[in-house]
Amino acid sequence: MGTVILLALTGLGLAALYFLVASGLSLVFGLADVLNFAHGLFLGVGAYGTWWAAGNLPGASGDGWGFVLAVAFGVAAGTLVAILVELVLIRPLYSRTIEQVLVTVGLSLAGVALLQATWGADARPFPRPDWTRQVTGILGAQVPNGGLLLIIAAVLVLGAILAFLRWTRYGLVIRAGVENREMVTALGIDVRKAFTLVFAIGGAAAALAGALGGVYFGTVSPGQGGSLLIFAFIVVVIGGMGSVVGSAYAAVVVGLVQQFVNYYGTSGLGDICVVGLLAVVLLLRPQGIAGKVATA
Amino acid sequence: MTLLDVTPAAAAPPAPKPGRVHRVRPFLPLVALAVLVALPYSTLSLPGIFEGPINSPGTLQLLAICLIFGGLAAGYDLLFGRTGMLSFGHALYFAAGVYGTDILITRAGLPLWQAALLTITGGTILAALLGAVALRTVGIAFAMVTLAFAQVGAILVARDFGGLTGGEEGLPLDVSGLPAGLVGVTNTVNLYWLALAYLTLVVFVVHRVSGSPTGRVLAGLRDDERRIGVLGLDPYRYKLVAFTLAGGLASAGGVVYVLIVGGASPHITSSELTLSLLVMVVLGGPGTRWGPVLGGVLYMYLDHRLTAFGTSDAVDNLPAFLSNPLSQPLFVLGTVFILAVYFFPGGLTSLAPRVSHLTRSLRSR
């Protein structure tokens, strides 16, 4: 029993990580039709930003409120990079979708190389607050606190995004834009502002995933974002592009399948099962579980 | 708005003026082929461009790798530039060729021709099966699905299931059963010719297909898929044919590549390689006759030479904030790629008509 609970909770921790990356990807894709390959870069910036701040920023450290400050710095850095990418690279190619995707591909290659040039290719130990190294006993399972932190953060982010989409004016514009962008533009609403906003939200969520993922894995390396990104893509497709709630469901399914099969089968088999799951979903329901709806 | 509105190739050049150059023009590819065939007989040294003289094994190997990737990019362009399918999993079929050949020769002890035949057949069937599933989606979803399938290949190779692939260390090719002419440093020239033959084959097949009625259907799919459906043709079937053919060509490239490099290493399964193929095609000019080949050759050349350039004294003496990024080939290539998407969307091949247009307008002043 303890093993099952432990696997379920670590699986949910992984799911939380996927959700944080996938929610932004899904919104950007739903609204702007851009498959953002540079999303892994935002994650890397968040992770390295937090790592750098914990060592160099006055007041920030690897523990207590200092760590919260370091994470805030990392998230701010990731958000800033995301906004810059949208304004400088994506916006000039407005509605030229393929070229926008190509630019993010180039950026993902160059950005990861830049991280590698600055901090080296090897993984660096991540500053972890002491309590995240400990475990909590839940129903007889000793669950690492780092994973629990991720789950709590993902639930909070999910709630915040849904509240924003449901109850604010910009949320309304984004929801309507995902449904039918041409119509929203025809009504005289500037969708480009919504693009920037969605990039900022996605960048912040991905940067948070980078910072907390660093706590979860204990290290940070330039390639980390790229490997997470592929599973986040799978989550987005299974969940239905443009749907935040769909991403949440799909992230939970993918995280749990991966964790359980990797434990009870061979290591690596879980990753393959996830792709098998993707193929099955596509054959049965090509639009994903939730389709292209940015609401509940 | 369609998802896959690939930039059309640069505007057609102005009607050719009757002249000596235009009479020779159709034969230029043959001339280029003859030059490439004869290249290993040259002992010319080009300091700065190649490390040794052209007929040295190191230079020939680099040239052979460039030619292979020229062919791979041309095959990938059959999907991207000519049919408008954005596949992010093309590296899988190349890797299937590399690992398939290597495993069949090294682990199963088959002779080269059997291993090559089995591998290419297997790679083609794999492309047909995975394509049949992936093509149920269109546009960006198709890109993500092909990426996911390619990721399975990367996981299978990295986790070393059944001890076949050698995991992170890769699998060196067992050369004892290979024909003597393909083994050893002195025979690099034969491998170079093999790579050239592969490039020629791919270019021939791609040009034949795109010139045929099927090719016109593929171009129609790129421009407007619904129109093809209205004409009573099945878009799914045509796309599957193109996908399978491109996969088969890529796995054939893998067979030649493993002979040249002498083994398989896991980095060829990475998604980075497919992204590189996309970069090559876009840099060269998607859907153009020679663009993808040029793009592939140039990209691979730069990728190899920039590593040497990055560790050279000229770069090391620069301040750290410049020399560190410049020592990363992918940083330079990624940046060049972004600039290319902005400033010459038709790729390298679109530069020639633009430059001639510019010189003509300058001359007429």
Side-chain angles (χ1 to χ4, degrees):
Chain A
M1 189 63 198
T3 321
V4 173
I5 299 226
L6 177 67
L7 284 176
L9 284 171
T10 45
L12 285 178
L14 206 56
L17 207 53
Y18 292 152
F19 170 74
L20 287 177
V21 183
S23 56
L25 266 179
S26 183
L27 275 181
V28 167
F29 182 80
L31 187 67
D33 277 343
V34 173
L35 178 63
N36 183 11
F37 267 87
H39 211 70
L41 176 67
F42 304 158
L43 188 144
V45 170
Y48 275 101
T50 308
W51 170 81
W52 181 87
N56 299 312
L57 197 70
S61 67
D63 216 357
W65 289 109
F67 184 70
V68 175
L69 184 65
V71 171
F73 179 83
V75 171
T79 314
L80 191 69
V81 170
I83 292 175
L84 278 179
V85 165
E86 204 280 332
L87 289 180
V88 178
L89 294 175
I90 305 291
R91 188 168 283 207
L93 299 171
Y94 180 68
S95 82
R96 284 154 72 188
T97 313
I98 282 293
E99 276 148 26
Q100 290 176 325
V101 175
L102 293 179
V103 161
T104 63
V105 165
L107 188 64
S108 73
L109 296 177
V112 171
L114 192 61
L115 288 180
Q116 196 168 323
T118 318
W119 287 296
D122 298 328
R124 304 226 171 197
F126 200 79
R128 293 196 282 180
D130 278 337
W131 67 272
T132 61
R133 296 163 191 261
Q134 290 152 10
V135 291
T136 308
I138 297 175
L139 298 172
Q142 301 294 310
V143 186
N145 286 340
L148 294 178
L149 179 67
L150 262 173
I151 298 174
I152 294 166
V155 170
L156 289 179
V157 168
L158 173 65
I161 293 181
L162 285 184
F164 169 77
L165 284 178
R166 203 162 291 176
W167 288 312
T168 64
R169 191 185 135 69
Y170 269 108
L172 184 70
V173 172
I174 292 171
R175 271 189 294 156
V178 170
E179 274 299 310
N180 188 340
R181 193 171 81 196
E182 281 81 3
M183 183 54 84
V184 174
T185 320
L187 290 172
I189 298 165
D190 187 3
V191 192
R192 299 183 192 206
K193 272 186 198 146
F195 282 10
T196 315
L197 194 61
V198 161
F199 259 86
I201 295 172
L208 184 64
L212 299 182
V215 173
Y216 187 67
F217 296 120
T219 54
V220 50
S221 64
Q224 220 164 40
S227 47
L228 273 173
L229 191 65
I230 291 174
F231 284 104
F233 281 159
I234 296 178
V235 164
V236 170
V237 177
I238 292 184
M241 322 229 187
S243 165
V244 173
V245 177
S247 292
Y249 289 141
V252 170
V253 172
V254 166
L256 289 179
V257 165
Q258 211 176 359
Q259 202 69 16
F260 275 95
V261 179
N262 272 344
Y263 182 81
Y264 287 109
T266 349
S267 163
L269 195 64
D271 309 8
I272 292 164
C273 279
V274 168
V275 179
L277 187 70
L278 170 74
V280 170
V281 168
L282 282 175
L283 288 171
L284 298 178
R285 201 177 149 81
Q287 73 274 34
I289 9 185
K292 196 177 177 178
V293 184
T295 51
Chain B
M1 192 197 68
T2 53
L3 275 175
L4 285 176
D5 37 3
V6 175
T7 332
K17 280 175 253 152
R20 215 170 293 157
V21 181
H22 292 287
R23 242 176 286 148
V24 198
R25 219 175 156 167
F27 301 102
L28 281 182
L30 282 180
V31 175
L33 182 62
V35 169
L36 284 171
V37 168
L39 210 54
Y41 295 109
S42 158
T43 52
L44 197 64
S45 263
L46 298 168
I49 299 182
F50 295 116
E51 303 233 317
I54 287 179
N55 66 350
S56 67
T59 307
L60 282 177
Q61 193 189 27
L62 173 58
L63 284 173
I65 290 174
C66 290
L67 292 177
I68 292 273
F69 275 85
L72 271 180
Y76 181 70
D77 189 52
L78 190 62
L79 297 179
F80 178 67
R82 292 173 196 273
T83 320
M85 288 193 272
L86 185 56
S87 160
F88 279 128
H90 205 59
L92 177 64
Y93 310 106
F94 176 63
V98 172
Y99 272 97
T101 315
D102 200 349
I103 289 171
L104 287 178
I105 290 178
T106 308
R107 302 270 194 234
L110 290 185
L112 174 64
W113 66 273
Q114 279 184 8
L117 211 62
L118 274 174
T119 303
I120 296 172
T121 317
T124 313
I125 293 173
L126 182 71
L129 287 177
L130 296 185
V133 176
L135 282 169
R136 286 179 60 87
T137 57
V138 288
I140 296 295
F142 173 74
M144 291 189 185
V145 173
T146 47
L147 181 69
F149 287 151
Q151 188 61 20
V152 173
I155 295 165
L156 284 176
V157 165
R159 301 291 163 105
D160 198 9
F161 283 106
L164 281 175
T165 64
E168 296 292 330
E169 273 103 60
L171 183 63
L173 185 66
D174 178 13
V175 293
S176 58
L178 292 184
L182 296 177
V183 179
V185 179
T186 48
N187 287 320
T188 314
V189 60
N190 293 334
L191 293 169
Y192 166 84
W193 279 321
L194 198 61
L196 185 58
Y198 169 71
L199 173 64
T200 316
L201 172 83
V202 174
V203 167
F204 179 74
V205 170
V206 170
H207 287 184
R208 277 307 287 266
V209 168
S210 54
S212 69
T214 308
R216 283 196 284 282
V217 176
L218 296 182
L221 285 170
R222 176 187 63 196
D223 299 335
D224 187 353
E225 189 170 325
R226 252 175 307 177
R227 199 165 57 192
I228 298 298
V230 168
L231 287 173
L233 299 166
D234 186 4
Y236 179 83
R237 195 177 299 165
Y238 278 92
K239 285 201 278 189
L240 188 57
V241 166
F243 193 83
T244 310
L245 182 61
L249 288 174
S251 52
V255 175
V256 184
Y257 182 81
V258 76
L259 292 172
I260 291 171
V261 181
S265 66
H267 82 268
I268 58 155
T269 62
S270 68
S271 56
E272 218 166 64
L273 187 76
T274 305
L275 297 187
S276 304
L277 285 177
L278 186 67
V279 172
M280 291 172 196
V281 169
V282 174
L283 270 185
T288 58
R289 201 155 247 268
W290 298 104
V293 177
L294 284 179
V297 169
L298 192 69
Y299 182 98
M300 256 358 241
Y301 172 77
L302 287 177
D303 193 31
H304 277 80
R305 291 300 296 175
L306 282 173
T307 316
F309 166 74
T311 49
S312 68
D313 290 341
V315 170
D316 278 346
N317 291 337
L318 289 171
F321 75 94
L322 276 179
S323 79
N324 282 344
L326 283 181
S327 61
Q328 299 281 339
L330 274 181
F331 177 75
V332 180
L333 283 166
T335 312
V336 167
F337 178 67
I338 293 174
L339 294 175
V341 172
Y342 276 102
F343 298 112
F344 46 108
L348 284 176
T349 44
S350 77
L351 283 181
R354 281 188 193 199
V355 169
S356 71
H357 186 74
L358 191 69
T359 50
R360 218 171 324 115
S361 60
L362 283 178
R363 214 179 293 150
S364 64
R365 289 212 168 169

